């Protein structure tokens, strides 16, 4: 895996109970940079059964890196988006395409949130991040 | 025994014995006893259902209506006996009026095809309500787009009650079908079924009820209701998934063309043409959900042995207690407070999203549903994007209501 996840794994290793872990995730969500209102439109919505997620991506710089804006109406989902941003935001399309978020999140005990049986928009968001990266690779 | 003692004995609800019949209730989730409050999505199964299905597979399984050999005869007998059990459960006049489908969605689509495409024409009107599950909206929209029928929507009030007068004003001689829920899956609202039938019949319209959220909470008598169709799914009635029921009046089912063509639904087939089998086979093409139907038969036996009136009394007690206790959660607002309700509480909590709520209470072993509940138009009507929903079944207890309420207090703590 090209993206270094050690720091993230270490951050989460401090929590020994679910409450502390969720509180931390919720805090991360609160600190997530707000998505520009003009981007929170139907077109950028990733549909989920339980909560809504909006997401946009763009390419910057040379060599190219990918930047993302994302938001959700659910706080825990927003926090998980912040975790995904720590993994994917600012990385190269090639590294993103190579990085399996499920594996990354399983290392910090959050894999159940993006398993395909959770229709919470987050699963679709990960798919879109990787599809956008793959599109850059042609 | 004195009359009073008799009545007390009849009132006695042995919750512990009932819970013991459901093996899954012994399970733990995240180290906590399972507190299963998502019965509106799907109910757990009693041993009677599990054993009935298991014994078919272990002792006499074969395809139905086909073989001359002993196992096929035994399985066919059990399958047809399940049909008679459902007939009795709904008090249908004849077993020919009970069609097995895959689920309630399958039953509604059967009616939309066979009745809708077969007997309706452009300009005919179908009335649904604002609180339908998507399964009772989408088939009619598809029919509208294909046949040019007109789809009208009966409104509800802010508390989630069915507005009968407004509904009545929508009826005309163009109305051919009223397809509404008997009980709302989100709000628990019980619609005035008998009045709806009377008003619709006065205009010559047929009536279909989606009883998926009703059949486990109250006795249903389709002859007394006089409805033309009544559909429900098996898995919410403590039966297996993969089985649903369409009740239809015999004359109406006879007049309808078949929906799916295939084996078991024909009288004769030549390469030029075919003739249809008699009811109910006409609407059961292909190998049916055999063991699921037998499981559903065992489920209605079980529910009947506990007694629907007693279940209803127990669940209404839970509903009242939950309604009262949830009021103690700061910032919680109930969505759906119609006077006639089943044991369902939908709610929103200030400063939290339903998905957050469901995620946190899961950590306490509490299973509730969050989201739009496959009823997006209703969410829009109630001014929310989603709700959290606790739906109580026959095996739930007041202690579990307390667990729900204390886990919601935890939600408040975490989200501040």
């Amino acid at each position: 895996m090209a993206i270094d996840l050690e720091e993230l794994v270490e951050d989460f290793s401090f929590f020994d109970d679910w409450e502390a872990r969720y509180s931390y995730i919720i805090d991360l969500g609160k600190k997530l940079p707000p998505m520009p209102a003009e981007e929170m439109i139907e077109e950028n919505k990733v549909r989920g059964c339980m909560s809504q997620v909006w997401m946009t991506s763009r390419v910057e710089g040379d060599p190219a890196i990918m930047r993302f804006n994302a938001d959700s109406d659910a706080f825990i989902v927003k926090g998980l988006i912040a975790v995904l941003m720590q993994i994917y935001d600012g990385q190269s399309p090639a590294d993103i395409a190579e990085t399996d978020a499920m594996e990354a999140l399983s290392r910090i005990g959050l894999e159940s949130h993006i398993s395909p049986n959770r229709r919470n928009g987050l699963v679709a968001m990960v798919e879109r991040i990787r599809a956008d990266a793959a599109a850059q690779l042609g | 025994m004195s009359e009073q003692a008799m009545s007390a004995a009849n009132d006695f609800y042995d919750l512990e014995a009932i819970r013991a019949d459901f093996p899954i209730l012994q399970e733990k989730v995240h180290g906590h006893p399972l507190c299963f409050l998502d019965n509106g999505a799907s109910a757990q199964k009693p041993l009677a259902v599990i054993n009935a299905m298991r014994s078919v597979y272990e002792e006499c399984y074969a395809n139905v209506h086909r073989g001359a050999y002993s196992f096929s005869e035994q399985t066919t007998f059990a399958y047809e006996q399940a049909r008679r059990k459902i007939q009795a459960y709904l008090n249908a006049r004849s077993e020919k009026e009970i069609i097995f489908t895959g689920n309630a969605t399958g039953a509604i689509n059967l009616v939309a095809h066979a009745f809708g495409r077969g007997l309706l024409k452009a300009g005919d009107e179908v009335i649904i309500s604002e609180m339908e599950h998507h399964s009772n909206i989408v088939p009619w929209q598809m029919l509208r787009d294909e046949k040019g029928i007109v789809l009208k929507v009966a409104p509800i009030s802010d508390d989630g009650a069915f507005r009968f007068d407004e509904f009545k004003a929508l009826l005309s001689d163009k109305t051919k079908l009223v397809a509404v829920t008997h009980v709302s899956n989100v709000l628990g609202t019980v619609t005035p079924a008998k009045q709806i039938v009377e008003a619709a019949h006065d205009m010559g319209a047929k009536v279909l009820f989606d009883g998926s959220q009703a059949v486990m909470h109250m006795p249903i008598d389709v002859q007394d209701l006089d409805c033309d169709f009544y559909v429900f799914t098996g898995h919410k009635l403590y039966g297996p998934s993969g089985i649903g029921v369409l009740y239809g009046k015999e004359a109406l089912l006879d007049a309808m063309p078949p929906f799916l063509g295939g084996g078991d639904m024909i009288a004769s087939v030549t390469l030029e043409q075919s003739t249809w089998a008699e009811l109910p086979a006409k609407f059961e093409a292909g190998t049916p959900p055999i063991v699921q139907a037998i499981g559903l038969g065992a489920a209605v036996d079980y529910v009947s042995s506990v007694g629907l009136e007693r279940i209803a009394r127990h669940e209404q007690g839970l509903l009242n207690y939950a309604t009262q206790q949830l009021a103690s959660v700061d910032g919680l607002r109930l969505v759906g407070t119609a006077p006639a309700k089943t044991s369902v509480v939908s709610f929103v909590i200030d400063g939290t999203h339903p998905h957050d709520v469901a995620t946190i209470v899961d950590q306490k072993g509490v299973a509730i549903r969050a989201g739009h509940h496959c009823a997006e138009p209703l969410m829009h009507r109630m001014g929310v994007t989603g709700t959290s929903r606790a739906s109580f079944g026959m095996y739930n207890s007041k202690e579990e209501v307390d667990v729900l309420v204390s886990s919601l207090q935890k939600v408040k703590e975490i989200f501040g």
Side-chain angles (χ1 to χ4, degrees), chain B residues 62-88:
Chain B
N63 209 333
V64 291
H65 307 145
R66 281 159 175 83
Y69 53 91
S70 166
F71 276 11
S72 180
E73 280 172 13
Q74 280 180 52
T75 305
T76 301
F77 178 80
Y79 178 73
E80 292 304 329
Q81 191 181 41
R83 194 189 308 281
R84 289 189 290 276
K85 288 176 183 180
I86 306 301
Q87 176 203 344

Side-chain angles (χ1 to χ4, degrees), chain B residues 164-184:
Chain B
F164 182 72
D165 290 340
E166 306 271 334
F167 157 73
K168 222 173 152 185
L170 292 177
L171 286 167
S172 75
D173 56 3
K174 287 184 188 157
T175 313
K176 294 295 179 265
L177 179 69
V178 174
V180 292
T181 192
H182 192 186
V183 171
S184 159

